[in-house]
Amino acid sequence: MIAVRDNYHAFTPEEYFLWEEQQLEKYELIDSQVYAMGGGSVNHGRIAIRLTGLFDAHLGDRNCITGNSDVRINILGTNDYTYPNASVSCDDRDKITSQYITYPCLIVEVLSDRTEAYDRGQKFRRYRQNPMLIDYLLVSSTSIAVDLYQKNEAGDWLIFNYQAGDTIALKSIDLHFPIEQIYRGLNLTPAADSQE
């Protein structure tokens, strides 16, 4: 998904929540401005569904929230709200809010040509403000390629690049799975995602 400036009115979070309820599309709130969220390709949607299903099944009865692209994240310490493609929070503080979560330990963004620079740069800088975040997963929708930014015990972010044949290791929810599990049955030819 990509944020596109839609309106120049400065919104408070309360105005944003009320206003967005009346809209047909989803909008992010960044620096008091709303941005329409663009749609993704079929691969984009299928990958996001596979990941949320995988996380939810793995977590089972654990006291965690698995979020899809309809679950907002409040950027800690700000009035900014984003919609990642998937997220997981096991923090009790997120159980008392109904419109967003604030303390995810895992965030996933499925990449497209239009969103990749934003997801790797400015969006990740915002997400890193959350001390609970451990894993930030960036998933290609056009090739078998996943980048995992993972915070170590010292608080430094390490990057792991996964390709065909690799096993992805998510420290935040203690999950290991083959990368092919995300991509099974997808058409990854360039023409398949030309609309993204």
Side-chain angles (χ1 to χ4, degrees):
M1 294 185 181
I2 188 164
V4 178
R5 174 161 270 156
D6 187 70
N7 190 319
Y8 292 97
H9 172 76
F11 281 82
T12 66
E14 295 75 18
E15 290 174 326
Y16 160 67
F17 294 142
L18 291 172
W19 177 84
E20 192 186 34
E21 285 178 11
Q22 307 302 313
Q23 307 308 306
L24 297 176
E25 297 88 22
K26 292 184 293 190
Y27 290 78
E28 291 189 339
L29 180 67
I30 305 293
D31 296 328
S32 302
Q33 297 296 306
V34 293
Y35 296 84
M37 301 306 297
S41 68
V42 171
N43 280 355
H44 188 284
R46 290 178 73 191
I47 290 167
I49 288 169
R50 289 218 176 112
L51 287 167
T52 54
L54 178 66
F55 301 158
D56 196 53
H58 170 72
L59 292 166
D61 293 334
R62 287 179 49 188
N63 196 21
C64 297
I65 298 167
T66 300
N68 64 10
S69 61
D70 289 328
V71 176
R72 274 189 209 99
I73 290 182
N74 171 229
I75 305 299
L76 187 65
T78 74
N79 289 324
D80 295 345
Y81 296 85
T82 64
Y83 284 101
N85 296 118
S87 60
V88 174
S89 173
C90 299
D91 195 295
D92 287 340
R93 292 171 287 185
D94 282 331
K95 313 258 183 338
I96 59 173
T97 58
S98 63
Q99 295 184 316
Y100 57 87
I101 62 173
T102 305
Y103 303 97
C105 57
L106 167 62
I107 295 175
V108 177
E109 295 289 357
V110 180
L111 302 174
S112 69
D113 289 341
R114 294 185 320 207
T115 66
E116 185 166 356
Y118 175 61
D119 290 339
R120 288 185 186 281
Q122 185 178 2
K123 202 168 198 182
F124 184 38
R125 281 192 293 279
R126 291 176 186 278
Y127 286 150
R128 286 192 316 234
Q129 295 177 57
N130 168 18
M132 303 307 291
L133 184 64
I134 296 170
D135 291 320
Y136 183 53
L137 198 65
L138 298 175
V139 183
S140 173
S141 62
T142 58
S143 63
I144 299 177
V146 171
D147 291 335
L148 171 62
Y149 292 83
Q150 191 171 78
K151 187 166 55 174
N152 67 15
E153 300 301 323
D156 299 318
W157 288 93
L158 308 176
I159 184 169
F160 300 91
N161 307 110
Y162 296 103
Q163 300 173 9
D166 291 339
T167 297
I168 297 172
L170 299 177
K171 184 168 67 170
S172 58
I173 59 173
D174 191 27
L175 175 64
H176 298 74
F177 61 94
I179 195 171
E180 283 81 8
Q181 194 165 349
I182 300 171
Y183 293 101
R184 74 181 186 284
L186 297 185
N187 181 356
L188 297 176
T189 60
D193 266 7
S194 63
Q195 298 300 313
E196 194 163 342

